[in-house]
């Protein structure tokens, strides 16, 4: 059994970067009936879950939800008796997974973003981790009617991990809706804007800003017109949810 804690209305699993990578490696050796759906939770996701019932239903169907925002970690430390061990940012965890997966020859597939961005991200990651078996990439511009074909491509690639960068709430909905079509894949891991970082489009915030939970501010400074209002609104809403819907410890059964 693995423990989770209620933060802002969502149960978030108490995992570290290392323990999450260990779970991935262990799952590769298991005979799973379908892929595990591994989702990330940050302040924006907390806010969306409280206002979008379909997104809430989908993210609750995830097999594992990790804290991808320092605000979630801070809230657990201030408002619960069982704080989360650390932030597991997907942009960091990707590298943990790749390093852990190289000795086992794990197979990665990138799904999402534009054709140009996902291509550049794929080959940049391939150069950095040559021992990973890179089995394909596809952009995220497809309709729901095309999802059966997309899933067929993913399964036929032989991927162990599909990194799904379709953006919220599309990426979670895609994973939940199609899990039954994806037998043979170990993890469907949502990854938001990971491909932009790997492609070199978006720089990471300085480490001191990451440690203080200010990466959102750094991103806003980079793209104020697109992100300023979103972060002001969602951050304020998330804080209210942290204060009113946090604290209960829950248990999660392993698959």
């Amino acid at each position: 059994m693995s423990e989770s804690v209620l933060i802002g209305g969502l149960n978030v699993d108490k995992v570290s970067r290392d323990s999450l990578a260990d779970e991935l490696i262990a799952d590769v050796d298991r005979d799973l009936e379908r892929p595990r759906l591994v989702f990330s939770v940050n302040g924006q996701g907390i806010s969306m879950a409280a206002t979008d019932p379909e997104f809430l239903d989908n993210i609750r169907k995830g097999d594992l939800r990790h804290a991808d925002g320092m605000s979630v970690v801070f809230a657990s430390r201030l408002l619960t008796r069982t704080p989360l061990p650390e932030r597991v940012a997907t942009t960091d965890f990707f590298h943990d997974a790749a390093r852990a997966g190289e000795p086992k020859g794990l197979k990665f597939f990138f799904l999402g973003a534009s054709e140009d961005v996902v291509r550049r991200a794929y080959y940049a990651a391939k150069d950095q981790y040559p021992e990973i078996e890179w089995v394909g990439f596809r952009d995220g511009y497809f309709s729901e009617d095309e999802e059966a074909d997309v899933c067929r491509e993913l399964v036929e690639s032989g991927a162990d991990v599909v990194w799904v960068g379709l953006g919220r709430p599309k990426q979670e909905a895609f994973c939940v809706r199609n899990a039954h079509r994806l037998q043979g894949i170990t993890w469907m891991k949502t990854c938001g804007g990971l491909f932009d970082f790997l492609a070199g489009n978006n720089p990471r915030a300085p480490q001191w800003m990451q440690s203080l939970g200010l990466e959102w501010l750094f991103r806003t400074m980079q793209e104020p017109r697109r992100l300023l209002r979103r972060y002001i609104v969602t951050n304020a809403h998330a804080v209210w949810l942290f204060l009113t819907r946090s604290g209960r410890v829950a248990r999660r059964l392993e698959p």
Side-chain angles (χ1 to χ4, degrees):
M1 298 179 72
S2 179
E3 193 174 83
S4 64
V5 61
L6 188 71
I7 305 292
L10 289 178
N11 285 321
V12 182
D13 288 277
K14 294 178 63 178
V15 293
S16 65
R17 288 169 55 180
D18 286 344
S19 68
L20 190 59
D22 289 343
E23 284 208 42
L24 168 59
I25 298 304
D27 284 344
V28 170
D29 293 328
R30 292 173 180 162
D31 184 19
L32 302 177
E33 292 183 0
R34 62 163 180 82
R36 293 186 77 189
L37 309 183
V38 183
F39 298 157
S40 59
V41 176
N42 59 12
Q44 181 203 22
I46 294 284
S47 177
M48 287 181 65
T51 57
D52 183 339
E54 183 178 355
F55 177 70
L56 174 62
D57 183 58
N58 283 330
I59 200 164
R60 280 179 171 171
K61 289 176 179 174
D63 299 293
L64 195 153
R65 293 174 295 276
H66 63 89
D68 196 352
M70 275 306 299
S71 62
V72 179
V73 177
F74 287 153
S76 77
R77 292 173 181 172
L78 292 172
L79 302 170
T80 79
R81 296 180 180 179
T82 56
L84 298 168
E86 65 176 335
R87 178 192 184 196
V88 184
T90 303
T91 43
D92 295 323
F93 175 69
F94 169 77
H95 298 286
D96 300 329
R99 285 190 291 268
E102 277 195 312
K104 294 184 69 71
L106 257 60
K107 301 173 184 178
F108 284 1
F109 192 107
F110 282 1
L111 176 67
S114 68
E115 173 75 18
D116 175 62
V117 168
V118 72
R119 180 186 299 273
R120 287 190 289 118
Y122 181 86
Y123 285 108
K126 184 176 181 180
D127 287 343
Q128 189 170 1
Y129 299 104
E131 300 305 314
I132 291 291
E133 189 170 344
W134 298 91
V135 295
F137 62 88
R138 178 173 177 144
D139 68 66
Y141 292 89
F142 53 86
S143 68
E144 192 170 329
D145 290 339
E146 298 173 283
E147 287 182 355
D149 290 335
V150 172
C151 291
R152 190 175 304 111
E153 180 180 352
L154 298 178
V155 171
E156 289 178 354
S157 75
D160 296 306
V161 182
V162 178
W163 299 87
V164 187
L166 302 175
R168 290 191 184 100
K170 183 178 178 180
Q171 58 193 13
E172 290 81 9
F174 173 84
C175 292
V176 170
R177 191 164 53 238
N178 292 288
H180 67 286
R181 293 170 164 162
L182 297 167
Q183 292 179 336
I185 295 170
T186 300
W187 273 21
M188 297 292 289
K189 174 67 186 85
T190 58
C191 63
L194 172 67
F195 303 147
D196 278 314
F197 288 106
L198 293 176
N201 291 353
N202 293 339
R204 290 295 303 274
Q207 187 58 51
W208 68 268
M209 294 188 80
Q210 295 183 43
S211 300
L212 292 174
L214 296 175
E215 193 158 14
W216 66 270
L217 179 59
F218 179 82
R219 291 191 62 199
T220 301
M221 292 165 61
Q222 304 297 309
E223 301 180 80
R225 289 189 176 184
R226 186 173 75 88
L227 296 177
L228 181 60
R229 183 181 181 279
R230 188 187 89 179
Y231 278 128
I232 289 176
V233 172
T234 60
N235 284 2
H237 188 214
V239 169
W240 181 80
L241 293 167
F242 292 151
L243 293 172
T244 58
R245 303 185 187 181
S246 298
R248 179 176 59 81
V249 176
R251 305 292 294 182
R252 173 174 63 82
L253 288 175
E254 293 290 348

